[in-house]
Amino acid sequence: PMAAPTGGKNPVPVEEPKDCCDYWRIPPLYKSEGNPFLQELTIGGRDRGQYYAVDSDQGSDEGWDNRRWRLGGKAKLFNFLELAADINVNDEFDPFYDSLEEAHLTAKFDESFNLMVGKFKPKWSYEWATSSREILPFERGLLVNQARPEKSSGVGAYGKIGKWSYY
């Protein structure tokens, strides 16, 4: 098993991948439960693209189509805060930065009450709340794509009390 860097302390074991998709998950750059300021720092990104090749008696073409390219990071701070941000990268990389996708600070007080402030994706439905990194189809369902709310700036509260959860 791999071990995450811990700033000179004993290495923290990283879980073995359960399937081939787990190999693409990036382990944290830094992880230390003993640090009172920064407990974890992770960077990541995603590229949703597709290669196409068409050959027919009317002509042929091939190329790469970038659907989205994102870079971001996440930090766990003070044992209860989580700071996260993602940017959209320009498909042609000129200029590199395209737009801010998400940027939010979450205070995780306990399982029953958490507070999120910033630009984030509202938890509107299970399909919409699931990250596009985790869904198997290439696209979400038509109803979700048409009826879902956009990512917007605001404040959100969520939690779980017994068998009930809220957002």
Side-chain angles (χ1 to χ4, degrees):
M2 295 173 53
T6 59
K9 308 265 191 267
N10 294 330
V12 176
V14 176
E15 284 185 36
E16 286 292 322
K18 295 176 184 70
D19 59 42
C20 66
C21 295
D22 286 342
Y23 283 104
W24 297 107
R25 287 179 177 61
I26 300 172
L29 289 176
Y30 174 83
K31 186 171 185 172
S32 173
E33 297 300 322
N35 185 333
F37 174 69
L38 177 65
Q39 289 74 54
E40 188 170 315
L41 180 64
T42 306
I43 61 168
R46 71 181 87 171
D47 175 24
R48 289 281 191 221
Q50 58 197 20
Y51 174 77
Y52 63 91
V54 179
D55 188 20
S56 73
D57 48 344
Q58 298 173 354
S60 61
D61 191 24
E62 66 179 291
W64 184 263
D65 178 36
N66 280 312
R67 298 177 50 80
R68 71 179 70 89
W69 215 94
R70 293 188 185 143
L71 289 175
K74 189 185 317 184
K76 293 183 181 178
L77 307 161
F78 302 111
N79 293 304
F80 79 102
L81 292 176
E82 186 174 282
L83 179 63
D86 284 319
I87 64 164
N88 292 308
V89 176
N90 188 317
D91 292 343
E92 303 299 321
F93 304 108
D94 186 27
F96 183 77
Y97 173 82
D98 184 47
S99 62
L100 180 67
E101 183 66 20
E102 288 189 32
H104 53 85
L105 180 67
T106 304
K108 296 183 175 188
F109 299 106
D110 62 40
E111 188 178 77
S112 66
F113 182 70
N114 300 280
L115 194 62
M116 184 182 291
V117 178
K119 182 179 181 185
F120 54 90
K121 179 162 98 176
K123 295 181 192 292
W124 179 74
S125 71
Y126 184 74
E127 184 178 357
W128 177 238
T130 303
S131 171
S132 61
R133 289 183 296 235
E134 305 295 328
I135 61 174
L136 296 177
F138 196 67
E139 289 286 343
R140 297 181 196 277
L142 180 61
L143 177 61
V144 170
N145 279 337
Q146 295 298 317
R148 66 169 168 70
E150 291 293 327
K151 293 179 182 177
S152 59
S153 298
V155 177
Y158 65 96
K160 183 177 179 184
I161 302 169
K163 294 182 180 182
W164 297 91
S165 61
Y166 68 92
Y167 184 79

